[in-house]
Amino acid sequence: MTVTVTPQGLWATTGASVQLAPLPTGDISAEVAIIGGGFTGLSAALHLAEQGVDVVVLEAEAPGWGASGRNGGQVIAGLKLDPREMTAAFGRDRGQALHRMGAATADLVYSLIERYQIRCEAHRDGWLQAAHSQPVLKSIAARVTDLQAQGEDVEYLDQDRLAALTGTTYYRGAMLDRRCGTVQPLSYARGLAAAATASGARLIHDTRVHKLTRNGTFWHLQTNRQEVRARQVLIATNAYLGDLYPALKTAMIPIESIQIATDPLPADLDRKVLPSRLPVSDMMDLGVYLRRDDEGRFIIGGRGSLTGTAGSKLFDELARSATLLYPALKPSDFTSRWGGRLALTRDHLPRLVTLEGGLHAAYGCNGRGVALMTMMGKLAADRLRGIAQDELPVATLPPKYYPLHGLRLPAMMAVQRFQRLRRAFARG
Ligand SMILES: Cc1cc2nc3c(=O)[nH]c(=O)nc-3n(C[C@H](O)[C@H](O)[C@H](O)COP(=O)(O)OP(=O)(O)OC[C@H]3O[C@@H](n4cnc5c(N)ncnc54)[C@H](O)[C@@H]3O)c2cc1C
């Protein structure tokens, strides 16, 4: 068996092709410069270009090279916090505004796919959030009630109905959220890039921004190729920020998530392994997420190494989780593996912030970036077009920095090691 390991793994094999414009020579001026060509940057560029704004995207590698081209492709509506939690934290009006924004994220993705005819294996048949333990099941049932009270199209499924859809009896119940679905993430990112370019945005690949300096009303961006001058800048690098703007580093924790995929499953396994092809996220037990693709592969993802260097042990552990759910699968069925980085924030909510005059940043997907960061890109475009921060649904979310940021990662690593040990003992 050959295991293929590339940055975007399976998605690079099945992804739509991408056309990159020839690299420009000489310095560049634009009204807006966006750093990072993932969902956030590309969505911002598209929405700005649609409004006739002169915008350039600077991407260190290629569109979708970061988390956007590597993720599970689960298009999940909503934020990590439930409506009642947001109302309790921010008051009725602001809490409701955040809820409505979160609820609209998947609509935005599917409307862009429709409007720009993006070919990305798009499906919208629902998403299952599954629970293994009774306490988690209780919290899922409460979430269903809360979301139904807001008029959202969600439903509680008991173990039997869930097992019929998933082919596993491992979980005790789930929420079926019909607002959600799946895409081939790299194809979606490349489709957004094509849509932004067709709308007038300039997309410059292989161009890493090293330094940002302000001179009067302009920002000067030093890259490995040329200097770029812009009145406004959006940092859309999320967990791949690196050392570009050190103060922003302490507002998020970058963590790794990894995935493995089989070849297209033969007929007998096709009927046993996730037969409904609905995507599933496991809430707080194995910490895995699963799906199928259009050619019938089975794909499972889970926690990677907190240092971003997942070794074969973690991939093997993920394959073991897959066989726990589906004993008909074998670890050797998984023929590709890959991983990427995503950014956590302290309160699990995303951010759109103004760091200095004309310098903005959007970040913090907390594992839900396909739909959410597409929306954050649109909101960033609104902000860059001059809409006041206060009028945006994310208005009440100033940056929240992690105190003792440097100690967070070692502490999280210790907790992760403990959880792994506990699971290993529990499985015997
Ligand atoms: C393995 C994995 C699985 C996931 N699964 C899901 C899922 O199923 N559903 C879901 O909703 N979310 C999922 N996520 C989260 C989701 O992928 C991210 O939230 C989302 O892609 C973030 O998009 P982004 O554009 O903000 O950042 P990214 O896509 O990470 O893009 C940042 C870009 O910035 C560029 N860059 C960085 N520094 C510079 C610089 N100095 N100059 C120029 N360019 C620079 C990078 O090259 C990169 O392309 C997953 C994430 C991972 C890693």
Side-chain angles (χ1 to χ4, degrees):
M1 176 204 44
T2 316
V3 176
T4 313
V5 189
T6 54
Q8 287 84 24
L10 169 67
W11 306 132
T13 314
T14 63
S17 59
V18 61
Q19 274 213 316
L20 300 172
L23 286 169
T25 50
D27 291 346
I28 294 170
S29 281
E31 185 61 28
V32 174
I34 296 175
I35 308 173
F39 299 144
T40 309
L42 295 169
S43 166
L46 170 59
H47 287 97
L48 284 167
E50 279 180 334
Q51 298 295 321
V53 177
D54 173 25
V55 53
V56 61
V57 179
L58 305 165
E59 164 54 50
E61 305 280 343
W65 181 86
S68 299
R70 305 171 187 225
N71 61 73
Q74 302 200 357
V75 182
I76 304 171
L79 301 173
K80 277 280 166 86
L81 270 59
D82 291 335
R84 68 196 140 87
E85 291 173 306
M86 291 191 283
T87 302
F90 304 105
R92 204 172 59 100
D93 292 350
R94 293 296 194 188
Q96 270 292 313
L98 277 172
H99 164 67
R100 280 197 304 276
M101 175 198 89
T105 56
D107 291 339
L108 176 64
V109 169
Y110 289 103
S111 72
L112 290 174
I113 289 171
E114 173 76 27
R115 181 151 28 121
Y116 290 100
Q117 293 294 296
I118 299 176
R119 292 165 68 100
C120 59
E121 300 184 24
H123 299 279
R124 197 177 190 184
D125 305 312
W127 165 71
L128 295 163
Q129 189 174 41
H132 172 66
S133 75
Q134 206 56 46
V136 177
L137 198 57
K138 255 178 94 175
S139 75
I140 282 191
R143 171 165 301 155
V144 169
T145 308
D146 197 5
L147 288 170
Q148 283 176 340
Q150 301 287 333
E152 307 299 344
D153 192 0
V154 299
E155 187 187 351
Y156 178 81
L157 300 184
D158 65 19
Q159 187 166 30
D160 290 345
R161 287 182 68 199
L162 182 61
L165 293 172
T166 59
T168 174
T169 50
Y170 186 82
Y171 297 108
R172 294 178 177 214
M175 172 174 80
L176 170 60
D177 187 337
R178 290 198 182 79
R179 303 169 297 174
C180 309
T182 48
V183 290
Q184 205 284 19
L186 184 58
S187 298
Y188 172 55
R190 288 175 172 175
L192 282 181
T197 309
S199 304
R202 282 174 285 169
L203 183 48
I204 307 182
H205 63 284
D206 274 332
T207 300
R208 180 174 293 279
V209 177
H210 289 301
K211 202 168 164 203
L212 295 158
T213 44
R214 192 166 181 201
N215 191 350
T217 52
F218 284 98
W219 281 93
H220 294 260
L221 283 60
Q222 222 174 309
T223 78
N224 54 322
R225 295 181 184 281
Q226 60 259 104
E227 188 170 291
V228 179
R229 195 175 79 135
R231 272 183 213 282
Q232 299 207 75
V233 175
L234 174 69
I235 298 180
T237 52
N238 230 318
Y240 290 87
L241 172 70
D243 293 321
L244 183 63
Y245 198 86
L248 193 56
K249 257 178 136 168
T250 60
M252 61 187 113
I253 304 253
I255 62 159
E256 190 189 47
S257 183
I258 57 173
Q259 290 183 88
I260 52 178
T262 66
D263 289 338
L265 294 179
D268 58 326
L269 287 176
D270 183 51
R271 283 188 297 272
K272 288 182 186 155
V273 178
L274 203 48
S276 68
R277 301 199 174 192
L278 288 178
V280 182
S281 291
D282 164 318
M283 204 169 146
M284 288 184 336
D285 178 50
L286 297 170
V288 293
Y289 46 96
L290 1 156
R291 62 169 291 184
R292 303 282 302 273
D293 77 351
D294 273 10
E295 288 170 27
R297 296 176 184 85
F298 173 70
I299 304 148
I300 181 166
R303 298 179 198 115
S305 136
L306 286 168
T307 53
T309 51
S312 62
K313 228 171 105 184
L314 289 177
F315 286 107
D316 293 346
E317 194 175 306
L318 188 55
R320 274 199 301 280
S321 294
T323 57
L324 193 70
L325 296 170
Y326 297 107
L329 286 174
K330 298 184 298 300
S332 58
D333 290 331
F334 291 92
T335 49
S336 54
R337 44 172 66 173
W338 69 101
R341 260 183 273 152
L342 56 97
L344 301 183
T345 54
R346 264 180 84 189
D347 55 9
H348 312 293
L349 291 171
R351 289 295 189 282
L352 169 60
V353 297
T354 298
L355 300 163
E356 298 178 47
L359 177 64
H360 315 269
Y363 59 91
C365 75
N366 295 283
R368 275 201 188 175
V370 179
L372 180 58
M373 296 320 287
T374 304
M375 176 63 85
M376 292 302 286
K378 179 177 187 293
L379 294 177
D382 288 343
R383 181 78 187 94
L384 289 159
R385 284 195 301 115
I387 295 180
Q389 180 83 358
D390 204 41
E391 288 177 33
L392 300 176
V394 282
T396 38
L397 300 178
K400 230 179 187 172
Y401 299 100
Y402 281 92
L404 305 175
H405 182 261
L407 297 178
R408 292 275 159 170
L409 217 50
M412 286 167 74
M413 284 162 76
V415 170
Q416 199 182 59
R417 268 198 298 274
F418 169 72
Q419 285 172 338
R420 286 211 161 95
L421 270 175
R422 202 179 54 178
R423 273 207 307 277
F425 277 122
R427 282 185 211 169

